[in-house]
Amino acid sequence: MNNIRYLIFYCRQILFAAVMLMVSVTLSAQQHPSDQEKQQPSEQELAMAQRIYQAQVSGSDTDFYEAHVTFMNYLEEHEDWEKYYRAWMNRVIYEVNNKRFHRAFIEINYLTDDIKERHQEQYLYISNMCLGFLYNGRNQPELGEEYFQRALQDIDADKEPVAAFNSYLSLAQLLSFNRPAEAMAYLDSLPQQMLQNPMYQSGVLGYRCIIANKLGDYDAFNRYFLKYDSIRQHQPQQFNAANLQQVMVCHCLIQNDYQCALSWCDSIDVPLTATELRITVYEQMGDWKRAFQASKLKDSLMQIGEREALELHMLDMENDIDLLQAEREKAEMRRTQLLIVGIMAVAIIALLVGLLVYRHKKNRRLQEQFLQLQEVRRNIEAGQAVRRAFVTTIQDKLKSPLNVLRGYARIFNNPAFRLKPEERPKRYSDILVAARNVESMMDPMLDSYAQGMTGITEDEKQVCLDALRSPLLTLISTTEVILDANGHIPHEEYMQLRSEVCRDAYHVATSTNKLILFSLYGDDIPTPKQHRVALNETLRSFLLSYEPRPTITEQNTKLATEFKTDVADDVMVNTSPMLQELVNCLLENADKYTSNGAALLSCHAAADGTYSISVSNEGPVIAAEDAERIFEPFVRLSPNEHSLGIGLPLARRLATSMGYSIALDLEYTNGARFVVTGI
């Protein structure tokens, strides 16, 4: 048991010393000695590294983590990756030193991923060194040695003397307990140019003293100690005090000066380290009572994980059993405790078995549910794909007749346009055929929407019929009247009928196109933004290509549009062609409700690096309680309105599919302004 305890103590001392020396390497110049004059650490960097050093010595987790994060952010900002990853290695060593092995392992994974993501593969040896420290701390020296050797193989000692120095030093630390002679050989392999620095030299001399003491080579110990103590006395600012207390305790014990050794123990600020060194002194003194008391104090100070706590508990139980065996009168108590331990062990095993069985069954159920969800998702996606293909087919079939209706609506909207009586049959026959084609596809189009993610109620279907079929039938009947008259209609009456054809053709074409798009983009499937365009130029082209609603007046007033921007003309964005449909929906809404026949399209730069566009008019103000309701399909704020009520809902669906947001600007009080953000 004493050997095990000494091994734990010694590994802890090695790791603590490793932390101190790693910080020393950070505090000193990290470059080759010939480069030190070129890249000396700044005072701010030295102060931050010193703060980490002090936090490690004090053992305060809060102080250490705060200081470490500050230092890491500083190094990342200056892109000093060598120091950055060495500082990260210090974090791993600190966790291992405090027996937080799982946290240390997670940090190693993060460190390795960060190296790969930044393409700094030349520092992968640091990951191997961290694994070496981890396995060494877990008392698996064979694995620790393997990873330290791997790290050493990846290091060019001529180009990276600091890295080679740390690798050789780590191997020496690892082997110093079981194979001290090999440990001393690794110290002999250290790059000599690094030992010209008193900080490194004193740290290595401290290890040599400890290993020489372990080998019982007191002549070598005295030689190393003289150099070590000389640096301490004459170059205190460059002296590495990481192992000072342990070296001085060894020195005092060799001199059989136990009071001096205990004084050095008293000078240590970390209670656990001081207690561990006192145990060594008491054992050599032969003061077993105080050694035992110090051991109990050390056990009470140690804060370890659940597994390590259980191991120490079992060691204490074995010690109690040994003591009870020596005292025959307490044999019954010993048997009782053994029985209790056995029952607890059986109960723990049974609990673990039960937990494993429960988790196995739970994992199987979760796996089955996951497979079911995947199957449902595949079915939904397949259904959506079929429905979208069907809607796309309808869109393709209606593209030509809708273009015919939209084209005639545009030319008939011009009062100056005249058709000769002999030209009318051909023109109106085209309109009639297009209208009937649209009528034939009306029911399939509504059915496709009804099968989407949101579905459609009977009331909503009636709204569609009211907004689409009624003007469609009126268009067909009016066109048939003109055809049957065969040019024998008075001019004024003909112009009135032509105005109605113009109005109904425009309404049917635009409303049908909106309903198709609303059905096509109703399944929350993202729209790829693969087109890179100049933002201002694109918005100007949208204004030029916008077709205003038919005015059906002799004056033929046309929507006046204006474009304003505070964005540079060379700004490029990634977007989708459906952005034009979104803007058209907003322009048509502004056109429909404007009181002065004008609409403003604006473009602005946002603070987060994105852009926004807005469409505004002067007209009726939308109440705040209706700000979200107007984006619901088939909602009409006025009972006398017979529109489809789908323009703004379509705009929101298109915006959402492209990753944008759209909302009514409640601060605008001259009419209505809709803002699209996130472009």
Side-chain angles (χ1 to χ4, degrees), residues 258 279-292:
Y258 303 123
I279 293 174
T280 304
V281 176
Y282 291 146
E283 288 178 349
Q284 186 160 334
M285 291 173 62
D287 191 342
W288 305 110
K289 182 177 180 180
R290 285 204 289 177
F292 176 73

Side-chain angles (χ1 to χ4, degrees), residues 205 209 220-231:
L205 286 171
C209 289
F221 177 91
N222 290 328
R223 288 198 309 274
Y224 299 140
F225 181 78
L226 286 175
K227 297 179 183 178
Y228 180 79
D229 195 51
S230 175
I231 296 174

